Structure formats: C-alpha cells, structure tokens
Amino acid sequence: MADAEPTAAAMPTVHTATTMESSLLVDGGERSDINEQPRWFTPTRLLTLFCLINMLNYLDRGVIASNGVNGAPGDPGCLEHEACFSGSGIQGDFKLSYFQDGVLSSAFMVGLVVASPIFANLSKKFNPFRLIGIGLSVWTFATAGCGFSVDFWSITSFRMLVGVGEASFISLAAPFIDDVAPPAQSSAWLALFYMCIPVGIALGYVFGGVVGGSLGWRSAFWIESLLMLPFAIFGFMSKRIHLKGATQVLHLPSYCTLLSRSFGVASEVKGLLDDCKKLAMNRLYLMNVLGYITFNFVLGAYAYWGPKAGQAIYSMENADLVFGVVTILSGILGTVVGGIFLDYLGSTIRNGFKLLAVSTALGATMCLFAFLSTSLAVFIPLFAIGEFFLFATQGPVNFVTLRCVTPVLRPLSMAMSTVVIHVFGDVPSAPIVGAFQDWLQNWRLTTLGLTCIFFLATAIWASGIAIAPRNGDRGIEVTPDLHQPGSKSQEAPLLTNE
C-alpha cells in the first residue's frame, strides 16, 4: 500500500484497495475496512431487503391509483347532501378534474428530481444505508401526511415529499445488487428486484381497493406509512456496505474540514456536473434512456389510469382486483423470465437492446388487440400476455443502464435514469392522458392512442443494437479514474460474502 511522503503533511494519503488491506473514510471521519461487512449481511439477505422496500415503495403508486383510494368525480353540480352521486375517494372529496388527478400522480417527481442526484453523489462519502434511512423516514412522514391532507394542494405537497424517499433508495439499490450478484446471474438478480415494481403496484391496487372501501382512503396511507417505518429505522442502524468503485479514497482526520474550506459546495457541484457530462457523452446510455422514457410514458399512464379505464370500457365492478391480479401474475413472470432469458442469451449490452426491442413490440401488439376487443373475456388474457412481454424489459433495461458506464458512475446513472424517465415519461403522461380524456370522453380511443407510442420505444431500442459492442462485451467493469497511472486494474467486485 502506497502512502504519501512524510514531508507532505498537508496532503491527504491515498490508499488503494488490495486483497490484504483496504479502508476508507466513513461518516464522522473514522476508517472502515472495505472488506468488513455488517454481521447481518449476505447477498441474498441484501436482495430480499431491497425487494421488500421496493415493493412497499411501489405499493404506494398502486394505492393512490386504485379506485378505492383515488375514487371517482361526482356528477357536475352535485352537492353532497343531494341524491345524485357526489364523488368518492380523493377525486370526489377534493373535487378534482382528471387533469388535476393526473397532476397528483406526478407530484412525487419534484422531490425525486431534486434529491436523486444529491443522494447519488453523497453515497461516495457517506454510509449509503444512512442515506436510505433518511430518505425512507421522509417517505414515512409524507405518506402519513397524505392521510391528513385537507385539499388538493396539501396532498400534492406531501406527494412531492414521497419522491425524496424514493430518490434515496432507487439510485443506490441497483448498484448494490449488481455488485453482489453472481456474475452469471446478474440480470436475473436485477430482474427479481424490478419484479417488485409490478407486484407492488398490483398489491397497491388490491390493498387500496380493500382498505379504501372499508376503512376509508386516508387509512390506506397511514397503514403503508407504518409498514415502511421499520425499514427506515434499520437504515439508520446498519453499518456501511461498500459500493463497487470505492477502491481508492482519501484519508485525513480533517478531510471534511479541508474539503469544505478548500473547495466547498462549488467543488461538489463541479464534480456532479462532470459526472453528468460523462453520462451525456455516452451514446449507449442516451439511447437506452431515450427508449426507456418513451416506454415509461405509456406504462406510467397504464399504471395510473388502467383500473379507471377498465372500469369504464368493460363495466368492471372489481377493476382494482382484476388489474391487480393480472399485473401481479404478468409482472412476476415477465420480469423474471426477461432477466433469466438475457442471462441465457449472454448478458451483453447488445443482447439487452435486442430483448428490449422485441419484447416491447410483442407487448404493444398484444395490448393493442386487447383494447380493440369488446369482450372482457378476450381483453383479460390478451392484456395479461401483453403485460408479460412489457415487464420482461425491466431486467434488460436496468442491466444496460448499469453496464454501459464505469462502476463509480453507476449510482448516478441509475439516479439520472430514474429522474429523466419520470420527468419526461410517466410524470407528464398522467396529466396529458387525463386532459385528453377530459376532451375526448372515450377511454377506448384514449388507451388505443396511448398504446401505439410503445412502437416508438421499440424503434429507439432497435437503434441501440446498431451502436452496441459486437465483441460480446458484458459492460464496463473498470473505471480508470480510480487508479494511479501505471497501476493494475481491479475488476473483482468489492463486496464479498465474508
């Protein structure tokens, strides 16, 4: 291990990780052995923990979209004491239009946009689990606050804070999982994690329908807040688990003080902007994210308006349950099969783009035929098959996001991907589709037009095949920035089972 010269007392010492000794600076300035893991840690336990948190996170998405919680608008001009229908749930209590209802679904994006890059950058210096604990505490407070909201603006404000909690988790979890997963099963492990998205949303439909219908929509938010509380506490209590890429760090007892005096906020911002520039110059990353934005525009609108559209088109009395069951089954099977199939083909960036293009095209076609059908008995199996192919993209798209950049950039790549697919994808899609439905007043035509946008995502991802490496490249595993000139590269993951 190479140390700084004794005469350079003012300079920080550089430590490079080796098989024998490796340490880094953690919160408060103490050193921590980079190979020393918390006693509870195993890769499987970490994956299970992250899956549960992810499922609860997306359960909230399903809850607010469910008919039992979201409700329905009342008859125009109807007063609550009159015999006409005065509305139900959030939309009825706060007298929301479809456009306002769509804005409510997108409000979390404000917190997500602001907080995601910040959490990703802070993870280089501070305990990521501590950061996750902070974010999940905000999430717990915000979801409870939704239950206490009194009007459109108050619940919208709490939904913004929900995004802060998601930001702390979503940008850090995937790099951890990719780091600890067995190399031959990395896509499958990521698929298991992202399988929790459709499962969480679907459970949210059912949970929101049952709890909202029996205890009232406010109770649904309070209960989910209590469910997340133990995970927030655990985040604060757990010792640090180190991300790949932390192979060289600066050690100095007064490092934080020196940094604040010499560079301050300007240095942090410059570092973040430099990293963002590297992502913007990466053609593979841009092509993947552009396709994901287009894909998420449709999928986000499906997730929010699906139960309401199904209820209107096919007169479903239990739309929350139907969409919940279909999404759970198709989401689990599709996400797992997509990840396993990519591992079978060979987990390369090129194969990832191939699977994204083909799966999206097949899923879009089946969903198009589903919404063209006039029979509920025909719609359900066609839509289930379509969702199977659509959710098969979750493992490959996140595999490409992680593997087309260097390890040290992976938390930021996930954070920025999450931000842009929401900012330009499902965030505008919900209010846009709501406004379109306000004007058109025909859910079948609205869903058919929306589904056709999937084919644009197919074309974008197909274009990615042309620029992807042809030599079987499995992704960038080494970041030169972490090594001194002339030093040997280190490709092995830094996390171990020991």
Side-chain angles (χ1 to χ4, degrees):
M1 181 177 297
D3 294 329
E5 296 181 5
T7 57
M11 296 299 294
T13 301
V14 177
H15 290 264
T16 303
T18 67
T19 57
M20 297 298 295
E21 182 180 3
S22 177
S23 61
L24 52 72
L25 191 69
V26 295
D27 306 11
E30 73 272 16
R31 296 187 181 188
S32 172
D33 189 340
I34 203 169
N35 293 315
E36 180 183 352
Q37 305 298 345
R39 296 182 63 181
W40 64 268
F41 169 80
T42 66
T44 304
R45 289 176 182 173
L46 183 69
L47 176 65
T48 301
L49 176 68
F50 282 164
C51 283
L52 290 174
I53 296 174
N54 203 30
M55 193 177 302
L56 277 176
N57 183 45
Y58 280 89
L59 177 114
D60 175 70
R61 303 278 188 90
V63 164
I64 198 169
S66 67
N67 287 317
V69 171
N70 190 265
D75 296 333
C78 180
L79 300 177
E80 190 172 352
H81 63 276
E82 295 179 345
C84 56
F85 180 59
S86 60
S88 62
I90 297 173
Q91 196 172 11
D93 284 1
F94 298 152
K95 310 300 180 187
L96 305 182
S97 66
Y98 284 117
F99 174 75
Q100 288 177 308
D101 199 13
V103 169
L104 187 63
S105 76
S106 305
F108 77 97
M109 193 61 232
V110 175
L112 191 69
V113 168
V114 174
S116 286
I118 295 174
F119 278 115
N121 200 46
L122 289 176
S123 69
K124 297 177 182 179
K125 298 181 179 68
F126 299 101
N127 183 348
F129 266 66
R130 193 73 48 79
L131 298 176
I132 290 174
I134 292 172
L136 294 185
S137 297
V138 175
W139 192 98
T140 301
F141 167 78
T143 50
C146 289
F148 290 104
S149 56
V150 295
D151 56 20
F152 170 71
W153 292 109
S154 61
I155 194 171
T156 300
S157 299
F158 282 118
R159 298 306 298 173
M160 292 178 186
L161 288 176
V162 169
V164 175
E166 179 175 343
S168 70
F169 172 71
I170 205 65
S171 60
L172 300 176
F176 270 120
I177 294 172
D178 184 60
D179 192 277
V180 303
Q185 300 175 8
S186 58
S187 298
W189 277 49
L190 286 171
L192 286 173
F193 174 71
Y194 286 103
M195 175 192 72
C196 298
I197 294 178
V199 173
I201 292 174
L203 289 176
Y205 291 155
V206 178
F207 175 80
V210 173
V211 176
S214 58
L215 301 177
W217 64 266
R218 297 178 186 275
S219 297
F221 289 115
W222 294 333
I223 293 174
E224 69 178 29
S225 178
L226 290 175
L227 291 174
M228 185 64 84
L229 183 60
F231 296 101
I233 296 173
F234 182 80
F236 281 108
M237 296 177 60
S238 176
K239 293 183 179 179
R240 181 175 185 137
I241 297 178
H242 306 295
L243 278 169
K244 180 189 291 186
T247 56
Q248 176 177 305
V249 292
L250 300 176
H251 292 294
L252 196 67
S254 58
Y255 172 73
C256 294
T257 303
L258 178 64
L259 179 67
S260 62
R261 290 177 180 175
S262 303
F263 302 101
V265 177
S267 177
E268 292 297 302
V269 172
K270 183 180 183 301
L272 179 60
L273 292 178
D274 287 344
D275 287 344
C276 289
K277 182 179 179 180
K278 293 176 184 177
L279 294 180
M281 302 270 300
N282 188 322
R283 291 194 303 160
L284 290 171
Y285 182 78
L286 290 180
M287 192 65 69
N288 185 53
V289 170
L290 184 59
Y292 203 5
I293 289 171
T294 311
F295 178 91
N296 213 47
F297 183 93
V298 185
L299 197 66
Y302 270 15
Y304 194 72
W305 295 117
K308 194 162 292 188
Q311 187 177 47
I313 296 172
Y314 299 102
S315 301
M316 295 184 191
E317 295 182 358
N318 53 352
D320 289 335
L321 180 61
V322 170
F323 272 81
V325 171
V326 168
T327 304
I328 286 177
L329 296 178
S330 299
I332 291 176
L333 291 175
T335 306
V336 172
V337 169
I340 293 176
F341 192 60
L342 180 57
D343 284 330
Y344 172 77
L345 291 176
S347 298
T348 66
I349 295 173
R350 184 176 176 81
N351 284 341
F353 275 120
K354 288 179 180 179
L355 191 54
L356 287 171
V358 172
S359 187
T360 303
L362 291 173
T365 302
M366 298 306 295
C367 288
L368 201 62
F369 282 122
F371 284 114
L372 283 170
S373 67
T374 57
S375 168
L376 180 61
V378 175
F379 168 81
I380 291 178
L382 287 177
F383 188 69
I385 296 172
E387 283 207 320
F388 168 84
F389 284 112
L390 293 175
F391 282 114
T393 63
Q394 293 306 295
V397 71
N398 288 286
F399 173 85
V400 174
T401 300
L402 288 168
R403 292 306 180 91
C404 70
V405 300
T406 54
V408 74
L409 286 178
R410 287 176 185 173
L412 184 63
S413 75
M414 290 303 303
M416 296 309 297
S417 173
T418 302
V419 167
V420 297
I421 67 171
H422 288 313
V423 168
F424 302 108
D426 59 331
V427 167
S429 73
I432 287 173
V433 171
F436 190 68
Q437 173 61 21
D438 281 332
W439 171 70
L440 195 61
Q441 294 296 313
N442 188 316
W443 275 113
R444 188 185 300 276
L445 292 179
T446 299
T447 53
L448 287 173
L450 179 67
T451 301
C452 289
I453 300 176
F454 272 134
F455 294 106
L456 177 59
T458 298
I460 294 172
W461 276 327
S463 300
I465 300 173
I467 64 173
R470 296 176 178 271
N471 59 356
D473 178 38
R474 293 177 179 272
I476 301 171
E477 296 294 342
V478 181
T479 172
D481 294 340
L482 294 177
H483 304 281
Q484 296 289 345
S487 65
K488 295 181 180 180
S489 63
Q490 300 170 4
E491 301 185 11
L494 297 178
L495 289 174
T496 65
N497 295 335
E498 300 177 358

